[in-house]
Structures are given as C-alpha cells and as structure tokens.
C-alpha cells in the first residue's frame, strides 16, 4: 500500500520546526553582533551562520527528503545521514565560537528524531543537550541550577512526546493497512462467491433450458428418421415439433446472452453514460470526453468498449502511479474510437512479437479483434500511457 509523502500533521510540525530554527538562528546572530561588535571571530561566526542556514535550506536537495511515513528509519538514504552530520557539526563549531547559538539545537532535536532510529536519535539529542547546557553556563558566568536542569528536562519532554506520537502514528498506519487489506480480501472473497454463484446459476439455466431442448430435438429427429419411410406424416410432425423447440431454444439463448451483458448497460443505459460513471479509485481523477455525433452502437460493441475501459482503468490503478486518467469516446462516422490516457510513469513497450505479460492487454486485443478493430498502445517511461481501441461501424442505410 502507498502512503502520502506527508500527512497534514507532519507538515505542520515540520513548518513550525523550520520557522523556529530560522528565528532562533537570526536572533542568535543579532545578539552576537550587538554584544561582540568588531571581534576577530565575527567573520567566522557570520560565515558559519550562513553555511548552517544554507545547509538547512538545501537539506531536501542535498540529503534527500525524509521517507514516507510507515517506511521506517532504515529506509533513510545515506546522503541524508551525511547531511544531518554536516548540520550538527556546523552547529557545534558555531556554538564553540559563540555560545548564544546553543538554543538553535531545539529544532535540530526534531530533525534528528525524524532522521535517525530511536536509540541513535536519543544519543544525539543527549549530546546536543550537553552542548546547550555547557554554552548556557558559559554565558551565565556562574553556576545556575536552572541552566543545568532546564535544557535536559525540555529535551527529555520533547523526545518523549515525539517518540510517543511516532508510535501512535505507526500503530494507526498499521491498523489502516490491516483494515484495507481485510477489505480487499473480503471484496475478493465476495467476487469469488459471486462468480461461483453465477456459474452455478448459468449451469442450471443451460441444463434446464438449452440442454433439455437439445435433448428433445435429438429424440424427435431420431423418431422422425425411423418413421420417415413407413409413416411420413408422423415424421413431418416430429420435425415440426423439433423446429418449434429449436425456436424456443434460440429465444432462451438470446435471453441468456442478454443477461450476461454488463450491468452498466442494463435498462437501456448508453455507452457514454456508462463510461462517464467509471472510476479508478479514490486517488485517481477520471475525466470523460465525448467527441462527434453519437450513433447507435450494437450491444456487443458497447459491451466490448466498456470492458476495455474497465480493464484499462484497472491497469492504471494497479501499475501506473497516475493521478489523472482521461476517457475519450469519439464517433468518426465509419468507426468508433475509445482512448484511455493517463499521466503515470509509463512503461517500455515490448518489442514486436514479444509476449505480453498478464491477461489484461491480450484480453483487450481479443475483444477488439473479434469486432474487426485495432488496439494501439503508446507509452514512454515517465510520460504516461495512451491506449486506443478503434472498432469499425456498419455504414448507415
């Protein structure tokens, strides 16, 4: 299952932490310049402050963005760990030169806890807290219990709250994953049960109607064959009776075929309305466009195009990573064309003659081929996919 890169609470917390960091950094620079003007270390302090700010701003570019929630700290790229090391090292050197920069460590607590596994993160937070206490005592010039105890208390509280929130969020994500997986399993079970029930119903229908009719026809025709020479009148009566049974069987077969048509096209619903009602899941926006003057389509053409659209949207949902998909139904006089386009990551088309993976595309090609049409696919990695099904129409009388 895929998660959004960051949920709303995580983005809000990150925004607050980043804003606090730059406010504390700016306040520390102003304080140093006001209290230590013209000192030899001033250029170094300013340079390190600018470097620290740039490293912090360029963190996502230099070290990569944090992994999506739920992937765990082990998924952190090495570049991001290196970036965190550069930020902490720059801050430590800056605190050694100017202890007033110590309170910039508070937002760094948040960054360390988000980047490292719990134990290394707690160790790093403890080391940062030691630097904060040392710097504050150095600034005070004398021993102050508050400066000795307050920073560790703040760090411990912040760490405990963050770890608790992370565990709660992980438990919630696990629960959501379990619920979604259970819902999919239930849906799959219901589909299987529905399929088995439909197969049983059809087998009973065929046995009770078509099979019985064919058996009766066979018996009547065999009886007519036996009496054709000795009793032509009786033989003709058997043939007429078999003809009536065949007519009823044909009507029953047509009824079964009608019952097997897509439910979306039942009750006279048109293909355009059925396509407009399709969706590809909550994360994909599906748009429908109708081009040209709609013309009456045979039931088998409507059924085939609807099934192709459903299969294509299933592929978009499962494999493309797309955010939007567009269905375009075009009436071009002598043919009807259905285009399904998405903005997903695309794929490399198999070379000519190579076997296609899965069953979706071969099934679509078979449907189109049965109607004398063509199926074309255009896809480029990173640029999405366009699938086009064109079916010729009978000329209007």
């Amino acid at each position: 299952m895929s998660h959004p890169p960051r949920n709303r609470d995580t983005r809000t917390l990150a925004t607050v932490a980043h804003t606090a960091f730059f406010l504390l950094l700016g306040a520390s620079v102003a304080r140093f310049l006001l209290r230590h003007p013209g000192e030899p270390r001033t250029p170094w302090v300013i340079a390190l402050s600018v470097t620290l700010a740039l490293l912090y701003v360029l963190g996502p570019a230099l070290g990569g963005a944090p992994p999506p929630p739920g992937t765990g700290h082990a998924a952190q790229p090495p570049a991001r760990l290196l970036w965190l090391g550069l930020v902490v090292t720059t801050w430590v050197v800056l605190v050694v030169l100017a202890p007033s920069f110590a309170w910039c460590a508070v937002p760094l607590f948040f960054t360390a806890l988000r980047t490292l596994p719990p134990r290394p993160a707690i160790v790093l937070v403890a080391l940062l807290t030691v630097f904060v206490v040392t710097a504050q005592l150095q600034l005070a010039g004398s021993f102050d219990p508050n400066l000795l105890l307050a920073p560790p208390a703040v760090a411990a509280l912040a760490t405990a709250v963050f770890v608790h929130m992370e565990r709660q969020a992980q438990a919630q994500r696990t629960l959501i994953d379990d619920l979604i997986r259970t819902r999919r399993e239930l849906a799959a079970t219901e589909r299987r049960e529905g399929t088995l029930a439909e197969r049983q119903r059809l087998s009973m229908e065929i046995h009770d109607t078509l099979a019985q009719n064919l058996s009766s026809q066979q018996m009547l025709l065999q009886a007519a064959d036996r009496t054709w020479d000795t009793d032509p009148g009786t033989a003709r009566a058997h043939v007429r009776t078999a003809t009536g049974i065949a007519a009823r069987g044909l009507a029953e077969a047509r009824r079964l075929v009608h019952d097997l048509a897509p439910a979306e096209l039942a009750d006279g619903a048109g293909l355009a309305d059925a396509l407009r009602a399709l969706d590809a899941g909550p994360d994909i926006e599906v748009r429908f466009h109708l081009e040209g003057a709609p013309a009456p389509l045979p039931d088998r053409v409507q059924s085939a195009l609807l099934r192709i659209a459903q299969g294509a949207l299933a592929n978009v949902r499962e494999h493309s990573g797309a955010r939007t998909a567009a269905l375009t139904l075009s009436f071009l006089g002598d043919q009807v064309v259905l285009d399904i386009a998405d903005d997903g990551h695309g794929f490399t088309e198999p070379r000519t003659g190579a076997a296609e993976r899965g069953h979706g595309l071969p099934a679509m090609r078979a449907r189109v081929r049965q109607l004398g049409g063509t199926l074309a696919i255009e896809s480029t990695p990173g640029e999405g996919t366009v699938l086009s099904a064109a079916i010729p129409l009978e000329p209007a009388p």
Side-chain angles (χ1 to χ4, degrees), residues 33 76 84 119 134 138 158 192 287 354:
L33 293 178
Q76 290 287 1
L84 178 62
R119 290 185 180 179
T134 303
Q138 184 178 351
R192 286 195 297 270
R287 305 184 184 122

Side-chain angles (χ1 to χ4, degrees), residues 47-103:
L48 287 172
S49 300
V50 173
T51 301
L52 183 59
L54 290 175
L55 283 173
Y56 202 86
V57 169
L58 299 177
L62 295 177
T71 57
H73 294 282
Q76 290 287 1
R80 184 165 178 82
L81 300 178
L82 177 61
W83 166 81
L84 178 62
L86 290 175
V87 170
V88 172
T89 302
T90 304
W91 174 82
V92 168
V93 175
L94 192 56
V95 171
V96 171
L97 292 176
S100 58
F101 286 84
W103 284 110

Side-chain angles (χ1 to χ4, degrees), residues 2 9 33 90 163 182 218 246 346 373 376 392 396-397:
S2 61
D9 294 337
L33 293 178
T90 304
V163 171
T182 301
Q218 183 184 27

Side-chain angles (χ1 to χ4, degrees), residues 49-218:
S49 300
V50 173
T51 301
L52 183 59
L54 290 175
L55 283 173
Y56 202 86
V57 169
L58 299 177
L62 295 177
T71 57
H73 294 282
Q76 290 287 1
R80 184 165 178 82
L81 300 178
L82 177 61
W83 166 81
L84 178 62
L86 290 175
V87 170
V88 172
T89 302
T90 304
W91 174 82
V92 168
V93 175
L94 192 56
V95 171
V96 171
L97 292 176
S100 58
F101 286 84
W103 284 110
C104 293
V106 175
L108 294 182
F109 292 168
F110 169 78
T111 303
L113 290 168
R114 290 192 66 217
T115 304
L116 299 175
R119 290 185 180 179
I122 292 174
V123 171
L124 180 57
V125 169
L127 292 176
L128 296 178
T129 305
V130 170
F131 271 93
V132 172
V133 172
T134 303
Q136 292 302 307
L137 291 175
Q138 184 178 351
L139 285 174
S142 61
F143 179 75
D144 186 341
N146 285 334
L147 298 179
L148 181 64
L149 300 177
V154 172
L157 179 62
T159 302
V161 170
F162 185 88
V163 171
H164 176 72
M165 290 175 58
E166 281 289 296
R167 289 176 178 173
Q168 289 291 102
Q170 181 60 40
Q172 185 180 23
R173 287 191 291 267
T174 302
L175 178 60
I176 292 174
D177 288 347
D178 290 341
L179 289 175
I180 293 177
R181 183 169 57 254
T182 301
R183 186 176 66 180
R184 289 177 176 173
E185 292 174 354
L186 288 175
T189 301
E190 291 177 355
R191 286 195 296 270
R192 286 195 297 270
E193 291 178 352
T195 301
L196 292 176
E198 182 65 11
R199 287 179 178 175
Q200 184 178 7
R201 184 188 73 83
L202 287 175
S203 66
M204 294 173 61
E205 289 270 1
I206 293 173
H207 176 270
D208 295 340
T209 57
L210 299 181
Q212 294 293 344
N213 288 340
L214 290 173
S215 177
S216 299
Q217 292 174 55
Q218 183 184 27

Side-chain angles (χ1 to χ4, degrees), residues 377-392:
I377 302 173
E378 296 181 5
S379 183
T380 303
E383 298 183 7
T385 303
V386 177
L387 183 147
S388 181
I391 297 178

